[in-house]
């Protein structure tokens, strides 16, 4: 009886030891699982700021003893940048300053200048519908351009002027107050003149008055005409085609004048003094680019215009 009691005591002690060891391992395993999970979270937080990283938690830690050491494994995966990300990056980008034409600048360059994607698309939509910025101040009138942004960008706005000796009717049509009819007349009259010599010649066109000219004078330029007017060498048939001569009798009188006068007297003022052309016509003609009476110098270069 006594021997049996001793055996029972020994079995109970052994069971207690096994239980104690198991409990110790269970506690150690659980703490290890919590440590691994915390390490994974800290690592995730350290890389979360990277826009091309996706954090995936797999097999989150469990409260039971069966939790494993890899229960909080962190997986990094690279993913392509999406439009949403591009928009965020564009908003954070420092605005740049560079020369631009608001009529042609791209949407991406507008964003580089400091506009949001929505603002840039609004400007582009305005242009697509036929809108045009003729002057710097026109750009300031856009509702997406704040006063502070315009002040920063004003000196970088470059809007090329319309060259009246190179523009086609479509370009003329973009000028204020110029519709299709005036645009075609401007091209036609340029052909009659052989090229514009000065901007004010536009007012020779029927109904093209001072008010209309003043409304676009700062938007146009006048490069030299392709050919000088050969007033002192053309035959009468060609001279009469010029708008400032027009009449056969005047053209013939110019030919006779140059045939009977020395080279020094071959000037527009000489024609006025001889009574061949009126003073107002002489004033217009004297501003034209006119070829020298001798045509060209010894080196083949055109002589300075005779006035």
């Amino acid at each position: 009886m006594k021997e049996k009691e001793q055996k029972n005591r020994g079995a109970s002690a052994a069971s207690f030891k096994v239980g104690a060891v198991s409990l110790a391992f269970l506690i150690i395993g659980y703490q290890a699982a919590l440590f691994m999970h915390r390490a994974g979270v800290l690592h995730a937080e350290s890389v979360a700021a990277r826009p091309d990283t996706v954090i995936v938690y797999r097999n989150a830690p469990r409260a039971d003893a069966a939790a494993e050491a890899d229960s909080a494994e962190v997986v990094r995966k690279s993913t392509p940048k999406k439009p949403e990300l591009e928009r965020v990056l564009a908003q954070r980008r420092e605005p740049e300053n560079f020369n631009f034409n608001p009529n042609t600048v791209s949407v991406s360059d507008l964003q580089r200048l400091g506009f949001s994607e929505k603002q840039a698309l609004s400007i582009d939509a305005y242009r697509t519908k036929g809108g045009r910025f003729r002057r710097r101040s026109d750009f300031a009138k856009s509702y997406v351009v704040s006063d502070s942004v315009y002040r920063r960008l004003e000196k970088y706005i470059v809007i090329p002027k319309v060259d009246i000796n190179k523009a086609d009717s479509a370009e003329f049509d973009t000028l204020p107050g110029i519709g299709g009819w005036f645009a075609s007349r401007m091209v036609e009259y340029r052909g009659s003149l052989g090229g514009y010599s000065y901007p004010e010649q536009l007012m020779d066109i029927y109904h093209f008055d001072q008010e209309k000219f003043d409304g676009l004078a700062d938007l146009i330029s006048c490069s030299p005409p392709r050919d000088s007017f050969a007033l002192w060498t053309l035959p009468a048939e060609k001279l009469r085609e010029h708008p400032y001569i027009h009449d056969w009798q005047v053209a013939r009188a110019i030919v006779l004048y140059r045939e009977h006068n020395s080279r020094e007297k071959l000037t527009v003022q000489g024609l006025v003094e001889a009574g061949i052309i009126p003073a107002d016509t002489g004033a217009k003609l004297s501003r034209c680019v006119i070829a020298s009476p001798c045509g060209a110098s010894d080196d083949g270069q055109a002589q300075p215009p005779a006035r």
Side-chain angles (χ1 to χ4, degrees):
M1 185 71 176
K2 196 173 186 178
E3 183 179 348
K4 184 175 180 181
E5 189 175 328
Q6 289 178 345
K7 286 183 179 181
N8 287 338
R9 283 201 201 114
S12 298
S15 297
F16 176 79
K17 290 180 180 179
V18 171
V21 171
S22 298
L23 179 61
F25 274 107
L26 178 61
I27 293 172
I28 293 172
Y30 180 68
Q31 289 180 338
L34 290 177
F35 174 79
M36 293 297 292
H37 173 66
R38 179 59 181 164
V41 170
L42 290 175
H43 177 64
E45 291 174 349
S46 69
V47 299
R50 296 187 53 178
D52 60 343
T53 302
V54 175
I55 307 302
V56 180
Y57 292 97
R58 195 164 57 197
N59 300 326
R62 298 185 300 274
D64 56 68
E68 299 180 358
D70 64 346
S71 61
E73 181 180 356
V74 178
V75 181
R76 263 178 70 196
K77 296 182 180 180
S78 295
T79 58
K81 293 181 178 180
K82 296 182 179 181
E84 293 79 4
L85 177 58
E86 294 292 348
R87 284 196 290 270
V88 172
L89 294 177
Q91 291 173 355
R92 294 179 179 177
R93 184 185 299 135
E94 191 69 24
E96 300 178 43
N97 296 323
F98 52 86
N99 291 342
F100 69 100
N101 180 353
N103 292 304
T104 58
V105 64
S106 66
V107 170
S108 60
D109 279 347
L110 282 169
Q111 291 179 267
R112 288 176 55 203
L113 288 166
F115 293 98
S116 68
E117 182 185 30
K118 184 177 180 180
Q119 291 172 327
L121 289 173
S122 177
I123 293 172
D124 189 53
Y126 169 76
R127 298 181 309 197
T128 301
K129 294 177 181 177
R132 186 173 182 84
F133 303 102
R134 299 187 177 97
R135 299 178 176 86
R136 289 179 176 179
S137 57
D138 291 343
F139 191 61
K141 295 174 183 176
S142 175
Y143 74 92
V144 300
V145 182
S146 66
D147 291 342
S148 60
V149 170
Y150 177 71
R151 285 194 297 271
R152 174 172 62 86
L153 296 177
E154 182 179 8
K155 64 181 179 181
Y156 298 101
I157 299 174
V158 180
I159 304 177
K161 293 186 176 183
V162 175
D163 188 333
I164 61 176
N165 270 332
K166 297 179 180 179
D168 57 20
S169 58
E171 289 178 276
F172 282 135
D173 198 11
T174 65
L175 294 169
I178 302 298
W181 188 89
F182 275 112
S184 61
R185 296 292 83 74
M186 291 163 79
V187 172
E188 182 182 321
Y189 192 58
R190 181 176 61 196
S192 300
L193 290 169
Y196 293 107
S197 294
Y198 51 96
E200 288 80 3
Q201 284 182 302
L202 292 172
M203 288 189 285
D204 295 339
I205 299 172
Y206 184 62
H207 280 323
F208 203 116
D209 56 20
Q210 185 70 51
E211 182 180 0
K212 187 176 293 293
F213 179 79
D214 290 343
L216 54 76
D218 63 321
L219 305 178
I220 62 176
S221 63
C222 183
S223 62
R226 185 182 61 182
D227 300 311
S228 301
F229 178 41
L231 175 65
W232 308 114
T233 57
L234 285 174
E237 302 82 47
K238 290 295 183 180
L239 287 174
R240 66 178 297 191
E241 294 177 1
H242 195 280
Y244 294 164
I245 297 174
H246 186 62
D247 185 84
W248 166 257
Q249 297 298 329
V250 175
R252 181 58 183 161
I254 293 174
V255 172
L256 291 173
Y257 177 84
R258 73 192 188 201
E259 288 177 352
H260 293 86
N261 286 278
S262 62
R263 181 181 181 279
E264 291 73 21
K265 291 185 178 182
L266 299 185
T267 65
V268 174
Q269 185 58 32
L271 295 176
V272 174
E273 292 175 355
I276 297 174
I277 59 175
D280 59 343
T281 299
K284 292 181 178 181
L285 193 57
S286 65
R287 296 185 66 186
C288 293
V289 180
I290 300 174
S292 170
C294 65
S297 61
D298 293 339
D299 61 3
Q301 297 299 314
Q303 294 288 324
R307 296 299 187 198

